Structure formats: C-alpha cells, structure tokens
Amino acid sequence: MKNFLYCMFIMTLLSIDSNAQPGNSISELRKSDLWTDLGEILEPVIVRETYDTRNGTNNYGNENNDIYFSFSIYRPTLIVSHFNGSSLEDVEAHLLYFPLSEPMDNLVDVGDPVTSGNYVEKMEEKIKLLPYLNLHLEENIGHGVIGSLFVQILQPGYYIFQCEGASTFGNDYNGEITSNIYINPLGTSMEAPMEIGDFSDDFNYHFSGLFDFDDSQELFFSVRLNYPMEINLSPEQTVESFHSIEIMEKSGAILATSDGSQLIKKSNA
C-alpha cells in the first residue's frame, strides 16, 4: 500500500480548471483496443506514438474511435501535447482525472485545450507556461498545430489522455493520429525548480500537493529578488511530518534552514 505525504507550502498561481464535467467510469474506457499505460511519472518523459483509430473502438467523446494514454503523477506537473504529424486534419482530445486518494470511479474532464475557436483568447496565456518545461520542445507550437493543443499544469492524480478524430468531419472520421505528449513533473531538483518569478515588491505564493514516498520528497522552488527582502516560509502538513526547509543560493550554498517550522530569512537581492 502506498503512503502519501500531503503538504501545503505557503510562500501566482496556477490552478486546475474547476469547470469539470462528469465522465465515464474507467472500466468502460479500458475496453478500448488502443490503450497505453505510461505508469507513474516521476521524471520528465516524452511520448510520441502513432495509432490508427480504424483499429480502435469508441468509448468516450464523439462517435469516432479513441486512443488512450493513462498515467499517475504525485506533484504538480506540466503537460504539453499536440497532434502534428497526424494523417487526420483535426483531432479532439480530453484530459480525464480523478484523485489518487479516492476509488477509481467516475472521471472528470479537466482539460483546457487551445483550439481553433479559442486560439486568440488562450494562446498568450498558455505560452507563459512553457518556461516550466524542462524538456526540448521540438515543435514551434506557437505557429499552429493540428487539433487540440494542451499546455496545462496538472494537480497530483490519475489521468487518462484521450484523443479521436474531430466530430466536425463526421462520425466515421478515423485514421492515423500521432500523439506528441510532454509530461514534466515540477520542482524535482535545483536544476529543474518551480519558477515562482522575478520580484521587486511584496508577494505571496501558495502551493499544495500530494506526494508518494516512491517519489523524491524534495521540492525545489526558484525565486529572483531584485531588492533585499524578508522571506517568510510557513509549511502546514498532515499525515507525516515535514522534515526541513532550506533557503539556498543558486550555487547550492545554504543561507538558512529549519526543522520544518516557520523559517524567516532576510535576503540580499
């Protein structure tokens, strides 16, 4: 049985889309002939797979046949995905979720894709998330992609990424779909921290996440201060104790540390 550490770190502000709609049960979706289980994502991965939906079945979304990729994450994670290279001209996709701490029952669609209908509205916002990606993005997604484009930060949980031919081309629009998926857990090391930002004035940052003990329990944040400021870090935790907090320079030199209680440090710029 897995043990989980839930920690809340008060120190912006990236959130899950709350307009989720109920989905199908996982048992129904697993009947698909085109299902790939990516397992637990503990480090950045790139998935690039081509499947022909004429060999699949329809279990979710519109009337066209589906492709599925399932995975679990234990910390906030950036996903970037698109369908360039597909034979189909347009691809629809959904990102289905349920919490790790609950039974596998109904899934909800938390996907917030960029589409041809909302490109102007959403793309400027999504591009701001790309600096969090510690993977080489081979495609220039700012200049158009095939079908739904996902650039989204996910909360810890179990996810199913589903895609299919777009309904605008009818209910028998099946063929080869190339899925390009970048999955990037955040804050895993000093070399790949969660970038909080560049500040010249007071700011607040709030983080919460569910961590599995198979994953590294270390969480790294990076902040740039343009003037001397006082840093106040306050952890709150349940289930297990929060072991320590450290403030370090980029070189790795420790400036201050605590045993998990509040840490206050006056910092130079």
Side-chain angles (χ1 to χ4, degrees), residues 180-229:
N180 307 282
I181 309 172
Y182 300 76
I183 307 175
N184 192 159
L186 300 176
T188 56
S189 68
M190 284 192 64
E191 293 73 28
M194 291 181 64
E195 297 279 352
I196 297 174
D198 193 325
F199 297 95
S200 301
D201 206 345
D202 294 351
F203 69 95
N204 290 292
Y205 179 85
H206 172 267
F207 164 82
S208 62
L210 180 68
F211 292 85
D212 182 270
F213 283 101
D214 291 341
D215 186 12
S216 167
Q217 296 175 48
E218 294 183 312
L219 182 63
F220 292 84
F221 297 87
S222 174
V223 60
R224 292 173 295 278
L225 306 180
N226 298 321
Y227 297 97
M229 300 176 72

mmCIF file of all heavy atoms in Angstrom, residues 180-229:
data_model
loop_
_atom_site.group_PDB
_atom_site.id
_atom_site.type_symbol
_atom_site.label_atom_id
_atom_site.label_comp_id
_atom_site.label_asym_id
_atom_site.label_seq_id
_atom_site.Cartn_x
_atom_site.Cartn_y
_atom_site.Cartn_z
ATOM 1 N N ASN A 180 1.853 13.644 -29.616
ATOM 2 C CA ASN A 180 3.115 14.171 -29.092
ATOM 3 C C ASN A 180 2.832 14.710 -27.703
ATOM 4 O O ASN A 180 2.164 15.735 -27.555
ATOM 5 C CB ASN A 180 3.639 15.287 -29.990
ATOM 6 C CG ASN A 180 3.744 14.862 -31.442
ATOM 7 O OD1 ASN A 180 4.672 14.173 -31.822
ATOM 8 N ND2 ASN A 180 2.766 15.263 -32.264
ATOM 9 N N ILE A 181 3.316 14.019 -26.679
ATOM 10 C CA ILE A 181 2.963 14.354 -25.295
ATOM 11 C C ILE A 181 4.233 14.553 -24.479
ATOM 12 O O ILE A 181 5.086 13.659 -24.415
ATOM 13 C CB ILE A 181 2.100 13.251 -24.653
ATOM 14 C CG1 ILE A 181 0.912 12.887 -25.553
ATOM 15 C CG2 ILE A 181 1.618 13.687 -23.278
ATOM 16 C CD1 ILE A 181 0.130 11.682 -25.076
ATOM 17 N N TYR A 182 4.356 15.707 -23.858
ATOM 18 C CA TYR A 182 5.465 16.024 -22.954
ATOM 19 C C TYR A 182 4.878 16.114 -21.543
ATOM 20 O O TYR A 182 3.967 16.909 -21.303
ATOM 21 C CB TYR A 182 6.107 17.358 -23.317
ATOM 22 C CG TYR A 182 6.691 17.430 -24.713
ATOM 23 C CD1 TYR A 182 5.871 17.565 -25.834
ATOM 24 C CD2 TYR A 182 8.062 17.375 -24.910
ATOM 25 C CE1 TYR A 182 6.408 17.635 -27.112
ATOM 26 C CE2 TYR A 182 8.612 17.454 -26.191
ATOM 27 C CZ TYR A 182 7.773 17.587 -27.280
ATOM 28 O OH TYR A 182 8.306 17.671 -28.547
ATOM 29 N N ILE A 183 5.388 15.297 -20.623
ATOM 30 C CA ILE A 183 4.891 15.293 -19.244
ATOM 31 C C ILE A 183 6.064 15.620 -18.326
ATOM 32 O O ILE A 183 7.044 14.880 -18.283
ATOM 33 C CB ILE A 183 4.271 13.936 -18.858
ATOM 34 C CG1 ILE A 183 3.217 13.523 -19.892
ATOM 35 C CG2 ILE A 183 3.635 14.021 -17.468
ATOM 36 C CD1 ILE A 183 2.634 12.149 -19.658
ATOM 37 N N ASN A 184 5.965 16.715 -17.600
ATOM 38 C CA ASN A 184 7.114 17.266 -16.874
ATOM 39 C C ASN A 184 6.766 17.571 -15.407
ATOM 40 O O ASN A 184 6.193 18.613 -15.118
ATOM 41 C CB ASN A 184 7.577 18.542 -17.577
ATOM 42 C CG ASN A 184 8.913 19.062 -17.110
ATOM 43 O OD1 ASN A 184 9.560 19.810 -17.815
ATOM 44 N ND2 ASN A 184 9.363 18.688 -15.921
ATOM 45 N N PRO A 185 7.071 16.634 -14.460
ATOM 46 C CA PRO A 185 6.883 16.957 -13.037
ATOM 47 C C PRO A 185 7.703 18.199 -12.676
ATOM 48 O O PRO A 185 8.823 18.386 -13.158
ATOM 49 C CB PRO A 185 7.404 15.710 -12.315
ATOM 50 C CG PRO A 185 7.313 14.618 -13.332
ATOM 51 C CD PRO A 185 7.595 15.271 -14.652
ATOM 52 N N LEU A 186 7.156 19.032 -11.816
ATOM 53 C CA LEU A 186 7.793 20.308 -11.492
ATOM 54 C C LEU A 186 8.526 20.254 -10.155
ATOM 55 O O LEU A 186 8.142 19.518 -9.248
ATOM 56 C CB LEU A 186 6.748 21.418 -11.455
ATOM 57 C CG LEU A 186 5.989 21.648 -12.761
ATOM 58 C CD1 LEU A 186 4.914 22.703 -12.570
ATOM 59 C CD2 LEU A 186 6.924 22.023 -13.893
ATOM 60 N N GLY A 187 9.588 21.040 -10.043
ATOM 61 C CA GLY A 187 10.293 21.193 -8.776
ATOM 62 C C GLY A 187 11.056 19.976 -8.321
ATOM 63 O O GLY A 187 11.210 19.749 -7.124
ATOM 64 N N THR A 188 11.609 19.174 -9.243
ATOM 65 C CA THR A 188 12.239 17.911 -8.863
ATOM 66 C C THR A 188 13.697 18.049 -8.446
ATOM 67 O O THR A 188 14.243 17.155 -7.814
ATOM 68 C CB THR A 188 12.154 16.911 -10.031
ATOM 69 O OG1 THR A 188 12.743 17.507 -11.200
ATOM 70 C CG2 THR A 188 10.708 16.562 -10.331
ATOM 71 N N SER A 189 14.347 19.166 -8.794
ATOM 72 C CA SER A 189 15.765 19.331 -8.457
ATOM 73 C C SER A 189 16.135 20.808 -8.526
ATOM 74 O O SER A 189 15.354 21.641 -9.004
ATOM 75 C CB SER A 189 16.652 18.544 -9.436
ATOM 76 O OG SER A 189 16.592 19.125 -10.727
ATOM 77 N N MET A 190 17.357 21.138 -8.077
ATOM 78 C CA MET A 190 17.828 22.513 -8.196
ATOM 79 C C MET A 190 17.964 22.914 -9.655
ATOM 80 O O MET A 190 17.825 24.094 -10.003
ATOM 81 C CB MET A 190 19.180 22.686 -7.488
ATOM 82 C CG MET A 190 19.092 22.745 -5.978
ATOM 83 S SD MET A 190 20.640 23.277 -5.234
ATOM 84 C CE MET A 190 20.772 24.957 -5.879
ATOM 85 N N GLU A 191 18.238 21.951 -10.519
ATOM 86 C CA GLU A 191 18.383 22.244 -11.934
ATOM 87 C C GLU A 191 17.035 22.394 -12.622
ATOM 88 O O GLU A 191 16.946 22.973 -13.704
ATOM 89 C CB GLU A 191 19.169 21.123 -12.627
ATOM 90 C CG GLU A 191 20.635 21.020 -12.212
ATOM 91 C CD GLU A 191 20.812 20.451 -10.807
ATOM 92 O OE1 GLU A 191 19.928 19.657 -10.376
ATOM 93 O OE2 GLU A 191 21.800 20.802 -10.155
ATOM 94 N N ALA A 192 15.977 21.882 -12.006
ATOM 95 C CA ALA A 192 14.640 21.960 -12.586
ATOM 96 C C ALA A 192 13.631 22.369 -11.518
ATOM 97 O O ALA A 192 12.729 21.609 -11.174
ATOM 98 C CB ALA A 192 14.261 20.618 -13.202
ATOM 99 N N PRO A 193 13.760 23.587 -10.973
ATOM 100 C CA PRO A 193 12.858 24.021 -9.905
ATOM 101 C C PRO A 193 11.537 24.550 -10.465
ATOM 102 O O PRO A 193 11.380 24.734 -11.674
ATOM 103 C CB PRO A 193 13.638 25.160 -9.253
ATOM 104 C CG PRO A 193 14.386 25.775 -10.409
ATOM 105 C CD PRO A 193 14.763 24.608 -11.304
ATOM 106 N N MET A 194 10.591 24.776 -9.571
ATOM 107 C CA MET A 194 9.379 25.504 -9.936
ATOM 108 C C MET A 194 9.714 26.987 -9.877
ATOM 109 O O MET A 194 10.036 27.522 -8.819
ATOM 110 C CB MET A 194 8.233 25.167 -8.985
ATOM 111 C CG MET A 194 7.725 23.756 -9.118
ATOM 112 S SD MET A 194 6.356 23.385 -7.993
ATOM 113 C CE MET A 194 5.097 24.496 -8.601
ATOM 114 N N GLU A 195 9.652 27.660 -11.008
ATOM 115 C CA GLU A 195 9.998 29.076 -11.087
ATOM 116 C C GLU A 195 8.834 29.908 -10.577
ATOM 117 O O GLU A 195 7.778 29.973 -11.202
ATOM 118 C CB GLU A 195 10.327 29.459 -12.528
ATOM 119 C CG GLU A 195 11.536 28.751 -13.104
ATOM 120 C CD GLU A 195 12.839 29.399 -12.674
ATOM 121 O OE1 GLU A 195 12.790 30.480 -12.050
ATOM 122 O OE2 GLU A 195 13.902 28.826 -12.974
ATOM 123 N N ILE A 196 9.037 30.554 -9.419
ATOM 124 C CA ILE A 196 7.975 31.381 -8.852
ATOM 125 C C ILE A 196 7.910 32.736 -9.535
ATOM 126 O O ILE A 196 6.840 33.291 -9.754
ATOM 127 C CB ILE A 196 8.180 31.554 -7.332
ATOM 128 C CG1 ILE A 196 8.094 30.180 -6.651
ATOM 129 C CG2 ILE A 196 7.150 32.495 -6.741
ATOM 130 C CD1 ILE A 196 8.430 30.219 -5.180
ATOM 131 N N GLY A 197 9.077 33.291 -9.888
ATOM 132 C CA GLY A 197 9.058 34.554 -10.608
ATOM 133 C C GLY A 197 10.173 35.492 -10.210
ATOM 134 O O GLY A 197 11.086 35.149 -9.456
ATOM 135 N N ASP A 198 10.080 36.699 -10.718
ATOM 136 C CA ASP A 198 11.053 37.767 -10.529
ATOM 137 C C ASP A 198 10.329 38.896 -9.820
ATOM 138 O O ASP A 198 9.354 39.447 -10.350
ATOM 139 C CB ASP A 198 11.573 38.216 -11.903
ATOM 140 C CG ASP A 198 12.793 39.096 -11.800
ATOM 141 O OD1 ASP A 198 12.863 39.881 -10.839
ATOM 142 O OD2 ASP A 198 13.670 39.006 -12.671
ATOM 143 N N PHE A 199 10.803 39.284 -8.599
ATOM 144 C CA PHE A 199 10.018 40.200 -7.774
ATOM 145 C C PHE A 199 10.831 41.408 -7.311
ATOM 146 O O PHE A 199 12.011 41.292 -6.986
ATOM 147 C CB PHE A 199 9.473 39.477 -6.544
ATOM 148 C CG PHE A 199 8.527 38.360 -6.890
ATOM 149 C CD1 PHE A 199 8.987 37.056 -6.985
ATOM 150 C CD2 PHE A 199 7.191 38.616 -7.134
ATOM 151 C CE1 PHE A 199 8.125 36.028 -7.320
ATOM 152 C CE2 PHE A 199 6.320 37.594 -7.466
ATOM 153 C CZ PHE A 199 6.785 36.300 -7.554
ATOM 154 N N SER A 200 10.148 42.550 -7.303
ATOM 155 C CA SER A 200 10.711 43.788 -6.766
ATOM 156 C C SER A 200 9.860 44.328 -5.628
ATOM 157 O O SER A 200 10.169 45.375 -5.064
ATOM 158 C CB SER A 200 10.799 44.847 -7.881
ATOM 159 O OG SER A 200 11.606 44.401 -8.939
ATOM 160 N N ASP A 201 8.773 43.627 -5.295
ATOM 161 C CA ASP A 201 7.863 44.085 -4.257
ATOM 162 C C ASP A 201 7.290 42.882 -3.518
ATOM 163 O O ASP A 201 7.591 41.731 -3.848
ATOM 164 C CB ASP A 201 6.737 44.911 -4.890
ATOM 165 C CG ASP A 201 6.124 45.914 -3.917
ATOM 166 O OD1 ASP A 201 6.372 45.783 -2.695
ATOM 167 O OD2 ASP A 201 5.405 46.807 -4.373
ATOM 168 N N ASP A 202 6.454 43.141 -2.511
ATOM 169 C CA ASP A 202 5.857 42.065 -1.718
ATOM 170 C C ASP A 202 5.101 41.087 -2.619
ATOM 171 O O ASP A 202 4.489 41.479 -3.617
ATOM 172 C CB ASP A 202 4.884 42.641 -0.689
ATOM 173 C CG ASP A 202 5.590 43.488 0.360
ATOM 174 O OD1 ASP A 202 6.827 43.481 0.384
ATOM 175 O OD2 ASP A 202 4.890 44.161 1.134
ATOM 176 N N PHE A 203 5.124 39.810 -2.256
ATOM 177 C CA PHE A 203 4.378 38.807 -2.999
ATOM 178 C C PHE A 203 4.036 37.661 -2.072
ATOM 179 O O PHE A 203 4.655 37.461 -1.021
ATOM 180 C CB PHE A 203 5.181 38.293 -4.198
ATOM 181 C CG PHE A 203 6.378 37.452 -3.814
ATOM 182 C CD1 PHE A 203 6.285 36.073 -3.764
ATOM 183 C CD2 PHE A 203 7.582 38.045 -3.495
ATOM 184 C CE1 PHE A 203 7.381 35.294 -3.400
ATOM 185 C CE2 PHE A 203 8.687 37.278 -3.144
ATOM 186 C CZ PHE A 203 8.587 35.908 -3.097
ATOM 187 N N ASN A 204 3.018 36.883 -2.466
ATOM 188 C CA ASN A 204 2.634 35.664 -1.760
ATOM 189 C C ASN A 204 2.558 34.527 -2.760
ATOM 190 O O ASN A 204 2.110 34.710 -3.900
ATOM 191 C CB ASN A 204 1.270 35.828 -1.080
ATOM 192 C CG ASN A 204 1.326 36.774 0.096
ATOM 193 O OD1 ASN A 204 1.934 36.477 1.105
ATOM 194 N ND2 ASN A 204 0.699 37.937 -0.056
ATOM 195 N N TYR A 205 2.971 33.360 -2.326
ATOM 196 C CA TYR A 205 2.905 32.177 -3.183
ATOM 197 C C TYR A 205 2.362 31.031 -2.346
ATOM 198 O O TYR A 205 2.808 30.805 -1.216
ATOM 199 C CB TYR A 205 4.297 31.819 -3.726
ATOM 200 C CG TYR A 205 4.313 30.588 -4.594
ATOM 201 C CD1 TYR A 205 4.025 30.668 -5.947
ATOM 202 C CD2 TYR A 205 4.611 29.333 -4.062
ATOM 203 C CE1 TYR A 205 4.035 29.535 -6.763
ATOM 204 C CE2 TYR A 205 4.621 28.206 -4.868
ATOM 205 C CZ TYR A 205 4.333 28.316 -6.211
ATOM 206 O OH TYR A 205 4.336 27.200 -7.002
ATOM 207 N N HIS A 206 1.417 30.298 -2.894
ATOM 208 C CA HIS A 206 0.804 29.181 -2.173
ATOM 209 C C HIS A 206 0.924 27.918 -3.019
ATOM 210 O O HIS A 206 0.633 27.917 -4.211
ATOM 211 C CB HIS A 206 -0.672 29.473 -1.902
ATOM 212 C CG HIS A 206 -1.412 28.305 -1.343
ATOM 213 N ND1 HIS A 206 -2.099 27.403 -2.130
ATOM 214 C CD2 HIS A 206 -1.564 27.865 -0.075
ATOM 215 C CE1 HIS A 206 -2.636 26.475 -1.364
ATOM 216 N NE2 HIS A 206 -2.328 26.725 -0.130
ATOM 217 N N PHE A 207 1.369 26.835 -2.412
ATOM 218 C CA PHE A 207 1.491 25.556 -3.108
ATOM 219 C C PHE A 207 0.891 24.455 -2.247
ATOM 220 O O PHE A 207 1.070 24.428 -1.027
ATOM 221 C CB PHE A 207 2.972 25.224 -3.378
ATOM 222 C CG PHE A 207 3.182 23.781 -3.738
ATOM 223 C CD1 PHE A 207 2.960 23.354 -5.033
ATOM 224 C CD2 PHE A 207 3.555 22.844 -2.792
ATOM 225 C CE1 PHE A 207 3.118 22.029 -5.373
ATOM 226 C CE2 PHE A 207 3.722 21.514 -3.125
ATOM 227 C CZ PHE A 207 3.497 21.108 -4.420
ATOM 228 N N SER A 208 0.182 23.524 -2.871
ATOM 229 C CA SER A 208 -0.259 22.325 -2.163
ATOM 230 C C SER A 208 -0.109 21.138 -3.102
ATOM 231 O O SER A 208 -0.277 21.262 -4.313
ATOM 232 C CB SER A 208 -1.715 22.450 -1.693
ATOM 233 O OG SER A 208 -2.577 22.589 -2.799
ATOM 234 N N GLY A 209 0.226 19.991 -2.543
ATOM 235 C CA GLY A 209 0.413 18.821 -3.385
ATOM 236 C C GLY A 209 0.407 17.542 -2.588
ATOM 237 O O GLY A 209 0.622 17.530 -1.372
ATOM 238 N N LEU A 210 0.159 16.449 -3.287
ATOM 239 C CA LEU A 210 0.139 15.115 -2.694
ATOM 240 C C LEU A 210 1.358 14.368 -3.215
ATOM 241 O O LEU A 210 1.582 14.298 -4.417
ATOM 242 C CB LEU A 210 -1.137 14.389 -3.107
ATOM 243 C CG LEU A 210 -1.358 12.973 -2.580
ATOM 244 C CD1 LEU A 210 -1.600 13.010 -1.080
ATOM 245 C CD2 LEU A 210 -2.546 12.348 -3.294
ATOM 246 N N PHE A 211 2.168 13.833 -2.313
ATOM 247 C CA PHE A 211 3.408 13.183 -2.718
ATOM 248 C C PHE A 211 3.409 11.717 -2.306
ATOM 249 O O PHE A 211 3.022 11.371 -1.200
ATOM 250 C CB PHE A 211 4.614 13.880 -2.082
ATOM 251 C CG PHE A 211 4.842 15.255 -2.607
ATOM 252 C CD1 PHE A 211 4.170 16.336 -2.076
ATOM 253 C CD2 PHE A 211 5.714 15.468 -3.643
ATOM 254 C CE1 PHE A 211 4.364 17.606 -2.574
ATOM 255 C CE2 PHE A 211 5.924 16.729 -4.145
ATOM 256 C CZ PHE A 211 5.240 17.807 -3.605
ATOM 257 N N ASP A 212 3.873 10.875 -3.206
ATOM 258 C CA ASP A 212 4.050 9.475 -2.902
ATOM 259 C C ASP A 212 5.489 9.253 -2.448
ATOM 260 O O ASP A 212 6.415 9.875 -2.962
ATOM 261 C CB ASP A 212 3.763 8.644 -4.156
ATOM 262 C CG ASP A 212 3.885 7.161 -3.877
ATOM 263 O OD1 ASP A 212 5.000 6.639 -4.035
ATOM 264 O OD2 ASP A 212 2.897 6.539 -3.494
ATOM 265 N N PHE A 213 5.718 8.368 -1.508
ATOM 266 C CA PHE A 213 7.057 8.173 -0.984
ATOM 267 C C PHE A 213 7.987 7.462 -1.969
ATOM 268 O O PHE A 213 9.177 7.355 -1.744
ATOM 269 C CB PHE A 213 7.006 7.422 0.346
ATOM 270 C CG PHE A 213 6.577 8.308 1.480
ATOM 271 C CD1 PHE A 213 5.275 8.267 1.955
ATOM 272 C CD2 PHE A 213 7.458 9.201 2.044
ATOM 273 C CE1 PHE A 213 4.877 9.095 2.991
ATOM 274 C CE2 PHE A 213 7.073 10.031 3.080
ATOM 275 C CZ PHE A 213 5.773 9.973 3.551
ATOM 276 N N ASP A 214 7.439 6.960 -3.092
ATOM 277 C CA ASP A 214 8.308 6.457 -4.148
ATOM 278 C C ASP A 214 8.959 7.608 -4.907
ATOM 279 O O ASP A 214 9.962 7.443 -5.571
ATOM 280 C CB ASP A 214 7.511 5.593 -5.133
ATOM 281 C CG ASP A 214 7.061 4.290 -4.496
ATOM 282 O OD1 ASP A 214 7.662 3.908 -3.470
ATOM 283 O OD2 ASP A 214 6.114 3.678 -5.004
ATOM 284 N N ASP A 215 8.331 8.766 -4.837
ATOM 285 C CA ASP A 215 8.847 9.958 -5.485
ATOM 286 C C ASP A 215 9.816 10.650 -4.526
ATOM 287 O O ASP A 215 9.787 10.431 -3.322
ATOM 288 C CB ASP A 215 7.668 10.889 -5.810
ATOM 289 C CG ASP A 215 8.063 12.107 -6.621
ATOM 290 O OD1 ASP A 215 9.192 12.130 -7.130
ATOM 291 O OD2 ASP A 215 7.244 13.017 -6.733
ATOM 292 N N SER A 216 10.687 11.491 -5.074
ATOM 293 C CA SER A 216 11.537 12.307 -4.215
ATOM 294 C C SER A 216 10.653 13.197 -3.365
ATOM 295 O O SER A 216 9.716 13.804 -3.851
ATOM 296 C CB SER A 216 12.468 13.170 -5.071
ATOM 297 O OG SER A 216 13.065 14.170 -4.275
ATOM 298 N N GLN A 217 10.943 13.279 -2.088
ATOM 299 C CA GLN A 217 10.157 14.128 -1.213
ATOM 300 C C GLN A 217 10.683 15.560 -1.204
ATOM 301 O O GLN A 217 10.157 16.406 -0.504
ATOM 302 C CB GLN A 217 10.156 13.558 0.202
ATOM 303 C CG GLN A 217 9.477 12.197 0.275
ATOM 304 C CD GLN A 217 9.579 11.597 1.646
ATOM 305 O OE1 GLN A 217 9.306 12.256 2.640
ATOM 306 N NE2 GLN A 217 9.989 10.359 1.723
ATOM 307 N N GLU A 218 11.711 15.821 -1.968
ATOM 308 C CA GLU A 218 12.231 17.174 -2.059
ATOM 309 C C GLU A 218 11.453 17.955 -3.105
ATOM 310 O O GLU A 218 11.089 17.436 -4.146
ATOM 311 C CB GLU A 218 13.715 17.159 -2.429
ATOM 312 C CG GLU A 218 14.613 16.566 -1.359
ATOM 313 C CD GLU A 218 16.073 16.642 -1.754
ATOM 314 O OE1 GLU A 218 16.382 16.267 -2.899
ATOM 315 O OE2 GLU A 218 16.883 17.064 -0.921
ATOM 316 N N LEU A 219 11.216 19.206 -2.796
ATOM 317 C CA LEU A 219 10.507 20.092 -3.704
ATOM 318 C C LEU A 219 11.299 21.388 -3.800
ATOM 319 O O LEU A 219 11.595 22.020 -2.786
ATOM 320 C CB LEU A 219 9.093 20.367 -3.184
ATOM 321 C CG LEU A 219 8.205 21.246 -4.041
ATOM 322 C CD1 LEU A 219 7.943 20.586 -5.385
ATOM 323 C CD2 LEU A 219 6.885 21.522 -3.327
ATOM 324 N N PHE A 220 11.661 21.770 -5.015
ATOM 325 C CA PHE A 220 12.518 22.930 -5.217
ATOM 326 C C PHE A 220 11.739 24.071 -5.881
ATOM 327 O O PHE A 220 11.048 23.856 -6.875
ATOM 328 C CB PHE A 220 13.713 22.562 -6.104
ATOM 329 C CG PHE A 220 14.682 21.615 -5.451
ATOM 330 C CD1 PHE A 220 14.449 20.247 -5.477
ATOM 331 C CD2 PHE A 220 15.817 22.082 -4.816
ATOM 332 C CE1 PHE A 220 15.337 19.364 -4.880
ATOM 333 C CE2 PHE A 220 16.709 21.212 -4.211
ATOM 334 C CZ PHE A 220 16.471 19.847 -4.245
ATOM 335 N N PHE A 221 11.885 25.255 -5.308
ATOM 336 C CA PHE A 221 11.326 26.474 -5.872
ATOM 337 C C PHE A 221 12.469 27.424 -6.184
ATOM 338 O O PHE A 221 13.501 27.412 -5.513
ATOM 339 C CB PHE A 221 10.380 27.167 -4.887
ATOM 340 C CG PHE A 221 9.166 26.364 -4.516
ATOM 341 C CD1 PHE A 221 9.203 25.468 -3.465
ATOM 342 C CD2 PHE A 221 7.974 26.518 -5.202
ATOM 343 C CE1 PHE A 221 8.090 24.738 -3.101
ATOM 344 C CE2 PHE A 221 6.855 25.796 -4.856
ATOM 345 C CZ PHE A 221 6.908 24.902 -3.806
ATOM 346 N N SER A 222 12.262 28.273 -7.171
ATOM 347 C CA SER A 222 13.256 29.286 -7.508
ATOM 348 C C SER A 222 12.575 30.645 -7.569
ATOM 349 O O SER A 222 11.509 30.794 -8.177
ATOM 350 C CB SER A 222 13.904 28.976 -8.862
ATOM 351 O OG SER A 222 14.767 30.024 -9.253
ATOM 352 N N VAL A 223 13.180 31.628 -6.908
ATOM 353 C CA VAL A 223 12.644 32.989 -6.932
ATOM 354 C C VAL A 223 13.800 33.965 -7.096
ATOM 355 O O VAL A 223 14.880 33.761 -6.541
ATOM 356 C CB VAL A 223 11.843 33.291 -5.640
ATOM 357 C CG1 VAL A 223 12.710 33.155 -4.404
ATOM 358 C CG2 VAL A 223 11.207 34.676 -5.707
ATOM 359 N N ARG A 224 13.605 35.003 -7.879
ATOM 360 C CA ARG A 224 14.617 36.041 -8.080
ATOM 361 C C ARG A 224 14.158 37.325 -7.419
ATOM 362 O O ARG A 224 13.061 37.826 -7.717
ATOM 363 C CB ARG A 224 14.859 36.263 -9.577
ATOM 364 C CG ARG A 224 15.523 35.097 -10.271
ATOM 365 C CD ARG A 224 15.585 35.289 -11.769
ATOM 366 N NE ARG A 224 14.242 35.309 -12.353
ATOM 367 C CZ ARG A 224 13.553 34.222 -12.649
ATOM 368 N NH1 ARG A 224 14.067 33.019 -12.411
ATOM 369 N NH2 ARG A 224 12.349 34.313 -13.181
ATOM 370 N N LEU A 225 14.976 37.874 -6.519
ATOM 371 C CA LEU A 225 14.649 39.096 -5.791
ATOM 372 C C LEU A 225 15.518 40.234 -6.312
ATOM 373 O O LEU A 225 16.743 40.128 -6.336
ATOM 374 C CB LEU A 225 14.884 38.900 -4.293
ATOM 375 C CG LEU A 225 14.173 37.691 -3.656
ATOM 376 C CD1 LEU A 225 14.491 37.618 -2.175
ATOM 377 C CD2 LEU A 225 12.665 37.763 -3.887
ATOM 378 N N ASN A 226 14.879 41.307 -6.684
ATOM 379 C CA ASN A 226 15.611 42.450 -7.232
ATOM 380 C C ASN A 226 16.062 43.430 -6.162
ATOM 381 O O ASN A 226 16.890 44.305 -6.440
ATOM 382 C CB ASN A 226 14.743 43.172 -8.261
ATOM 383 C CG ASN A 226 14.404 42.281 -9.444
ATOM 384 O OD1 ASN A 226 15.241 41.507 -9.897
ATOM 385 N ND2 ASN A 226 13.175 42.366 -9.919
ATOM 386 N N TYR A 227 15.512 43.295 -4.945
ATOM 387 C CA TYR A 227 15.885 44.155 -3.831
ATOM 388 C C TYR A 227 15.965 43.302 -2.569
ATOM 389 O O TYR A 227 15.367 42.225 -2.502
ATOM 390 C CB TYR A 227 14.851 45.279 -3.636
ATOM 391 C CG TYR A 227 14.742 46.212 -4.807
ATOM 392 C CD1 TYR A 227 13.743 46.031 -5.769
ATOM 393 C CD2 TYR A 227 15.643 47.266 -4.974
ATOM 394 C CE1 TYR A 227 13.632 46.881 -6.859
ATOM 395 C CE2 TYR A 227 15.541 48.124 -6.061
ATOM 396 C CZ TYR A 227 14.545 47.921 -6.994
ATOM 397 O OH TYR A 227 14.454 48.762 -8.071
ATOM 398 N N PRO A 228 16.669 43.749 -1.527
ATOM 399 C CA PRO A 228 16.669 42.997 -0.260
ATOM 400 C C PRO A 228 15.236 42.839 0.251
ATOM 401 O O PRO A 228 14.466 43.792 0.289
ATOM 402 C CB PRO A 228 17.507 43.889 0.666
ATOM 403 C CG PRO A 228 18.398 44.655 -0.253
ATOM 404 C CD PRO A 228 17.566 44.915 -1.484
ATOM 405 N N MET A 229 14.892 41.618 0.634
ATOM 406 C CA MET A 229 13.532 41.323 1.094
ATOM 407 C C MET A 229 13.592 40.303 2.213
ATOM 408 O O MET A 229 14.579 39.580 2.368
ATOM 409 C CB MET A 229 12.672 40.790 -0.060
ATOM 410 C CG MET A 229 12.529 41.730 -1.233
ATOM 411 S SD MET A 229 11.610 41.020 -2.624
ATOM 412 C CE MET A 229 9.953 41.015 -1.963
#
